[in-house]
Amino acid sequence: MKSKYEMFEIKRSDLAGRIGILHTNHGKVETPAYVPVIHPVRQSIPAKKIKEMGFDLVITNAYITLKQYGDDAIKRGIHDIIDYDGTIMTDSGGYQVLEYGDIDTDYKKMAEFEKGIATDIAIPLDRPTGFGLAKKKAIDYVNHTLRISKETLEARDNNVQIWIGPIQGSEYSDLVKDSTRNLVKYGFQMLALGSPVEFMESYEYELLAKMIITAKKEMPDSIPLHLFGAGHPLTIPLAVALGCDTFDSASYMLYAKHDRYITEDGTAHLDEISYFSCTCEVCSRLKPREILALPKEEKIDKLALHNLYSIKSEVDRVKEAIHEGRLWEYVLRKVRAHPKLFETMPLFISNTQFLAKGTPRFKENAIFLFSKEDQFRPEVARFHDTVRKFKTNKKNLVIIPDGGMRPFYLSPEYNRLKKRFARILDDTQFCQYNPYLGIIPLELSDVYPAAHYVMSGYQHNKEEFTEFLTTFNTFLKQNRFKTIHAADDDFLKHYTKAAKKKIKFFNFRGKDNLKSKKSTKS
Amino acid sequence: MKSKYEMFEIKRSDLAGRIGILHTNHGKVETPAYVPVIHPVRQSIPAKKIKEMGFDLVITNAYITLKQYGDDAIKRGIHDIIDYDGTIMTDSGGYQVLEYGDIDTDYKKMAEFEKGIATDIAIPLDRPTGFGLAKKKAIDYVNHTLRISKETLEARDNNVQIWIGPIQGSEYSDLVKDSTRNLVKYGFQMLALGSPVEFMESYEYELLAKMIITAKKEMPDSIPLHLFGAGHPLTIPLAVALGCDTFDSASYMLYAKHDRYITEDGTAHLDEISYFSCTCEVCSRLKPREILALPKEEKIDKLALHNLYSIKSEVDRVKEAIHEGRLWEYVLRKVRAHPKLFETMPLFISNTQFLAKGTPRFKENAIFLFSKEDQFRPEVARFHDTVRKFKTNKKNLVIIPDGGMRPFYLSPEYNRLKKRFARILDDTQFCQYNPYLGIIPLELSDVYPAAHYVMSGYQHNKEEFTEFLTTFNTFLKQNRFKTIHAADDDFLKHYTKAAKKKIKFFNFRGKDNLKSKKSTKS
């Protein structure tokens, strides 16, 4: 038996998102991965075709399989039943059992069945809390789920079958926390976060994001997290950036049945669409009205196929964003697809530490700086932390706006400053600044990302840069400068107002800057 | 001969962008359209294949055709030479003539040649100003281009061949203005804006945008505008939103020759890419490293084919955005693909009137409101204008935050207010407000978009809503309210501070709001 440390390897990460490999009885699955729902009885797009499209992990319903095939399912095995030779996850039908009030099926029987059909990733028969459940009832459901999960795990076979610990609690973050902590303690190798479907139906993206963050903060990085019922291009970047590794959904098919076409920014009725921008095998051959005119079954299959491509495309965009170290940029742009999704933005700003853990200390690519939110980007926040600890005994500070060659110490600007301040060179601390990164001391000007950023020349509102203010104040407090020579620049003037130091402003821009000089005292 | 009003039909518009039909000698071309550059001699992706992909208009080089085929070209015709039965535009080789210092080819000869090869859309032999040319020289070039364009147009055959007036002037907006105005006066049916290639090589998107706006403001809507050498997914939404109808580029092939892969957000070297999110016929079959391993010619063709799909995809996204009335949302998200592109945002904020002209007064879809920029969205600005003219003789103002059912007059909130203010009902003006739309008087609460918006619950910075302030002040100045009953709400309090009226704040939210009451006087 492989140890749990081998079951999931992390290859690359950005924010709390990661590219990983999940090792299962039926091969490797690269994550983040969308997990298409396969119906064990009525599945019109063959699982084989879905595998060819690049989905190496699917989920099917063990409860429906049991009801349909009974013990025969154990003889055949789930891979034969759905005709799929990749990795299969089985949901145990917690929802169905609740819905049909089925008392014949208990968690022990279901666990035995999931072992019997040789699923690769099994889920105990949990009791989903859904959304809007009274707290008392939610506590009951969470406790029940914890108890049966523990028992199920203890009774597992000693093989590579992976058992998932189902986190319940929904909007009650104390329950989610408790639930997660206990499942980790029991020794689950993989966890899953329950039932956000209803959240999303009411566009409660913020609630979904908070729930993911709550759970993630209670689990070690080595454990992969599955998200139940959330596989839309709108939620995928959010879920991945916050640390979800796999996420299933039947929406590709459910939406298709109602003529609904999934795009990277939402879902539209086919009759509202005039132009397909998708280039998949369906959309490059047919126009919207041509699909609408197809016989019903064919229309549904074509739409479902496109929907799968659309979701896959989104996963690949997110993976490429992690690969390029641009997940922050990608997610902060994506949230502008819908005003309700935009409400998750404050969570990215306020969870810097959580998001910084997976963000590499050095990246190949320069980071892009657009607007105030970017001062809280993990790479930027980290740089502020470094500068806030910076100490020098020098008595003069020279500070100019950034620009020109980087790092600062190799720039012609620095050479000019050296000449200008030649008389006090040894006792002078040279710094650049920009609104995002704050103060950039010469000595730290090659620390990532001080030499690796592209900043928009968009007119910044001075009031918005609270991190700049904190760093600047800390920097001045921590170092005892007698004199500050500051470039005569509006942004800097705004912040030096409160500095309570002797400030000499000088004209730094322009060719004759060494001659023209203007002094002010704050 | 068709009249110039029939040559170009506008079907739908949003901002300054439009979906149109260009009628030519070789059929209809739906715009906005990307115009792939076809090399008249060395073209490895057959023009036929390009037509099959959905490109109904291509551009080729008349100068190279003349040099290669001489008079034989006139016998064959350009459609035979490049083997393409759609609409062909021919560039006259102004760049080549300048570069090679070819004095044998003059504009008269070139015009005769373009007539002879029966191109559908012809361009006179202009003298491109490029970027960074001294003003004096730029004036010369512009005047030369104007003179030969006028002569060329006057000597045209009386047939459906379309002649394009080439606007030169580049970064000198007075020259661009002058150039455009004259070409319109001469009677050109279509104009083209010169040489932004160099702008884009140095990421001068803002300059490009300004140049387009300058030209567009001098031309009637009925004239389509072509943009030379700008067909990247990064620039397409910008160009279309500002009113460009067609745009050519050879980048799909030039980039392919250097292993460069065009994405919706930029261009990447193939060896930097790990995951293709594109689902085109190339990317759904091959992985990045598999394309890299192909024989050189095949590799270039595959990449060029993908690049064409990528550009087409972008055009279709923009067309769909126009169709759905979401071009503002689309462009304001797109500018976040690169910090230099983001610098064009202020142009969208400051050109409301220009952008409003093409923006429908009513849309099927609700508009999305995310952040401060959206107060300048044409639909929103238009609503402010309407409210700023609103007059009532009523003496009391009741104002509450928006929310609940729309329009306001059908909402339960309004019913509650009617009961609460029953005694002064006939003399009371009821209003809702939100930070974007400003004041929403009951009577205007069904005017688009007052009942058609989705607003993010993102915490708004009160200081950012300058349009709100103007409208609120105008509203209070124009109407002589004796008393203001305002919902006890931070945003409103901020703005009522300066109102200099008797303000009674009341608790509107919450069930017991009819009882609990708090009064303040400003």
Side-chain angles (χ1 to χ4, degrees), chain A residues 30 265 272 274-275 277 279-280 313 317 320 323 333 336 338-339 343 370-372 454 456-457 464, chain B residues 30 265 272 274-275 277 279-280 313 316-317 320 323 333 336 338-339 343 370-372 454 456-457 464:
Chain A
E30 193 174 83
D265 296 337
E272 297 164 354
S274 284
Y275 305 95
S277 55
T279 55
C280 81
S313 212
R317 270 192 295 272
E320 185 62 18
H323 175 75
R333 194 140 53 94
R336 289 177 177 268
H338 193 282
E343 293 171 3
F370 296 96
S371 53
K372 59 180 176 185
V454 181
S456 167
E464 292 172 344
Chain B
E30 194 176 81
D265 297 335
E272 298 164 353
S274 284
Y275 305 95
S277 56
T279 54
C280 82
S313 212
D316 285 329
R317 269 192 295 273
E320 185 63 18
H323 175 74
R333 194 140 52 93
R336 290 178 176 266
H338 194 282
E343 293 171 3
F370 296 96
S371 53
K372 59 180 176 185
V454 181
S456 167
E464 292 172 345

Side-chain angles (χ1 to χ4, degrees), chain B residues 378-437:
Chain B
E379 299 91 333
V380 175
R382 204 178 263 155
F383 189 75
H384 277 277
D385 284 346
T386 307
V387 174
R388 285 171 196 174
K389 288 174 203 141
F390 182 85
K391 278 190 182 172
T392 177
N393 288 321
K394 293 174 178 167
K395 292 293 168 227
N396 302 296
L397 170 63
V398 170
I399 182 165
I400 61 165
D402 71 339
M405 201 183 284
R406 291 174 200 159
F408 182 29
Y409 56 71
L410 293 181
S411 70
E413 288 77 13
Y414 175 52
N415 271 326
R416 275 160 59 198
L417 289 177
K418 276 201 293 192
K419 282 182 203 151
R420 185 186 186 117
F421 295 96
R423 283 193 312 133
I424 51 169
L425 198 60
D426 292 343
D427 208 24
T428 299
Q429 173 64 46
F430 294 96
C431 292
Q432 283 186 324
Y433 85 88
N434 82 42
Y436 296 94
L437 292 172

Side-chain angles (χ1 to χ4, degrees), chain A residues 286-498:
Chain A
L286 296 166
K287 289 191 160 57
R289 61 173 184 280
E290 290 167 341
I291 296 182
L292 274 172
L294 292 173
K296 194 177 168 195
E297 295 305 314
E298 202 183 336
K299 178 184 68 178
I300 293 174
D301 280 359
K302 292 275 185 232
L303 263 174
L305 204 57
H306 156 77
N307 287 344
L308 277 172
Y309 275 113
S310 184
I311 296 168
K312 183 172 186 310
S313 212
E314 187 62 39
V315 175
D316 285 329
R317 270 192 295 272
V318 172
K319 283 164 84 172
E320 185 62 18
I322 295 177
H323 175 75
E324 292 180 8
R326 301 206 170 286
L327 192 54
W328 172 272
E329 287 154 34
Y330 188 73
V331 171
L332 263 76
R333 194 140 53 94
K334 190 73 176 195
V335 295
R336 289 177 177 268
H338 193 282
K340 295 297 287 179
L341 196 59
F342 192 68
E343 293 171 3
T344 62
M345 181 137 83
L347 294 172
F348 284 86
I349 289 171
S350 60
N351 280 286
T352 305
Q353 222 183 332
F354 169 68
L355 298 171
K357 249 176 44 177
T359 305
R361 299 210 155 254
F362 181 79
K363 291 179 173 183
E364 295 282 319
N365 290 317
I367 58 169
F368 288 168
L369 301 170
F370 296 96
S371 53
K372 59 180 176 185
E373 298 79 20
D374 296 323
Q375 67 186 304
F376 302 102
R377 190 179 165 141
E379 300 90 334
V380 175
R382 205 178 261 154
F383 188 74
H384 276 278
D385 284 345
T386 306
V387 174
R388 285 171 197 175
K389 289 176 202 137
F390 182 85
K391 278 191 184 171
T392 177
N393 289 322
K394 293 173 178 167
K395 292 293 170 226
N396 303 295
L397 170 64
V398 170
I399 182 165
I400 63 165
D402 71 340
M405 200 183 286
R406 293 173 199 160
F408 183 27
Y409 56 71
L410 294 180
S411 70
E413 287 78 14
Y414 175 53
N415 271 327
R416 276 159 60 196
L417 289 177
K418 274 200 294 195
K419 281 181 203 149
R420 183 182 187 122
F421 294 97
R423 283 194 311 133
I424 51 171
L425 199 60
D426 292 342
D427 208 20
T428 299
Q429 174 63 46
F430 293 96
C431 293
Q432 282 186 324
Y433 84 87
N434 81 42
Y436 297 94
L437 291 172
I439 309 303
I440 308 168
L442 188 79
E443 297 81 349
L444 300 181
S445 67
D446 57 1
V447 171
Y448 191 84
H452 298 77
Y453 62 91
V454 181
M455 186 170 73
S456 167
Y458 187 79
Q459 198 59 45
H460 299 107
N461 179 349
K462 290 189 283 283
E463 316 288 337
E464 292 172 344
F465 291 89
T466 51
E467 293 301 296
F468 181 95
L469 180 64
T470 306
T471 297
F472 193 44
N473 287 343
T474 308
F475 189 76
L476 292 183
K477 211 169 152 185
Q478 198 144 259
N479 300 291
R480 305 282 167 157
F481 301 116
K482 283 188 179 158
T483 317
I484 302 175
H485 299 264
D488 189 4
D489 154 296
D490 278 352
F491 187 92
L492 207 55
K493 275 191 170 167
H494 175 81
Y495 286 97
T496 45
K497 251 184 204 165

Side-chain angles (χ1 to χ4, degrees), chain A residues 83-368:
Chain A
D83 191 19
Y84 181 83
D85 66 355
T87 300
I88 299 177
M89 183 187 281
T90 44
D91 195 0
S92 52
Y95 261 110
Q96 285 80 6
V97 171
L98 269 184
E99 194 173 330
Y100 308 137
D102 184 340
I103 46 162
D104 291 343
T105 309
D106 77 353
Y107 66 95
K108 285 183 188 163
K109 188 172 169 187
M110 190 51 75
E112 283 312 308
F113 183 73
E114 287 186 273
K115 286 186 220 169
I117 58 175
T119 188
D120 300 298
I121 304 177
I123 302 168
L125 185 60
D126 58 345
R127 199 167 280 174
T129 44
F131 180 49
L133 202 65
K135 176 102 183 224
K136 203 168 165 304
K137 214 164 181 182
I139 295 175
D140 276 358
Y141 280 27
V142 165
N143 288 340
H144 171 87
T145 300
L146 282 175
R147 187 171 54 76
I148 66 94
S149 295
K150 187 164 186 278
E151 265 188 57
T152 304
L153 188 71
E154 282 165 359
R156 78 182 180 277
D157 289 338
N158 192 12
N159 62 16
V160 289
Q161 190 173 45
I162 298 165
W163 279 90
I164 280 188
I167 304 169
Q168 294 297 344
S170 300
E171 66 268 39
Y172 303 109
S173 64
D174 53 335
L175 300 187
V176 170
K177 216 166 170 168
D178 214 55
S179 188
T180 312
R181 204 177 289 167
N182 278 301
L183 293 168
V184 170
K185 201 176 67 190
Y186 302 158
F188 278 97
Q189 296 170 275
M190 185 166 181
L191 300 186
L193 195 52
S195 12
V197 173
E198 284 111 342
F199 284 32
M200 258 108 59
E201 280 170 359
S202 39
Y203 293 95
E204 290 294 345
Y205 299 113
E206 194 190 349
L207 220 53
L208 171 68
K210 281 182 177 166
M211 187 172 70
I212 298 171
I213 294 171
T214 303
K216 283 293 290 187
K217 284 184 174 171
E218 301 300 323
M219 18 184 321
D221 286 340
S222 57
I223 292 183
L225 179 64
H226 179 77
L227 185 63
F228 280 124
H232 193 285
L234 275 187
T235 51
I236 288 171
L238 182 70
V240 173
L242 298 177
C244 298
D245 302 293
T246 56
F247 23 84
D248 71 279
S249 157
S251 58
Y252 72 98
M253 185 46 82
L254 299 179
Y255 285 5
K257 287 181 180 165
H258 298 93
D259 289 352
R260 296 180 75 197
Y261 179 95
I262 295 178
T263 74
E264 56 193 308
D265 296 337
T267 314
H269 276 270
L270 199 53
D271 60 9
E272 297 164 354
I273 303 173
S274 284
Y275 305 95
F276 284 154
S277 55
C278 176
T279 55
C280 81
E281 56 176 292
V282 177
C283 303
S284 60
R285 283 172 208 161
L286 296 166
K287 289 191 160 57
R289 61 173 184 280
E290 290 167 341
I291 296 182
L292 274 172
L294 292 173
K296 194 177 168 195
E297 295 305 314
E298 202 183 336
K299 178 184 68 178
I300 293 174
D301 280 359
K302 292 275 185 232
L303 263 174
L305 204 57
H306 156 77
N307 287 344
L308 277 172
Y309 275 113
S310 184
I311 296 168
K312 183 172 186 310
S313 212
E314 187 62 39
V315 175
D316 285 329
R317 270 192 295 272
V318 172
K319 283 164 84 172
E320 185 62 18
I322 295 177
H323 175 75
E324 292 180 8
R326 301 206 170 286
L327 192 54
W328 172 272
E329 287 154 34
Y330 188 73
V331 171
L332 263 76
R333 194 140 53 94
K334 190 73 176 195
V335 295
R336 289 177 177 268
H338 193 282
K340 295 297 287 179
L341 196 59
F342 192 68
E343 293 171 3
T344 62
M345 181 137 83
L347 294 172
F348 284 86
I349 289 171
S350 60
N351 280 286
T352 305
Q353 222 183 332
F354 169 68
L355 298 171
K357 249 176 44 177
T359 305
R361 299 210 155 254
F362 181 79
K363 291 179 173 183
E364 295 282 319
N365 290 317
I367 58 169
F368 288 168

Side-chain angles (χ1 to χ4, degrees), chain B residues 499-515:
Chain B
K500 290 183 188 166
K501 302 265 176 179
K502 191 177 168 194
I503 316 256
K504 295 184 180 184
F505 287 105
F506 66 97
N507 180 1
F508 176 69
R509 307 270 189 209
K511 279 187 178 170
D512 57 345
N513 66 321
L514 290 183
K515 281 172 253 166

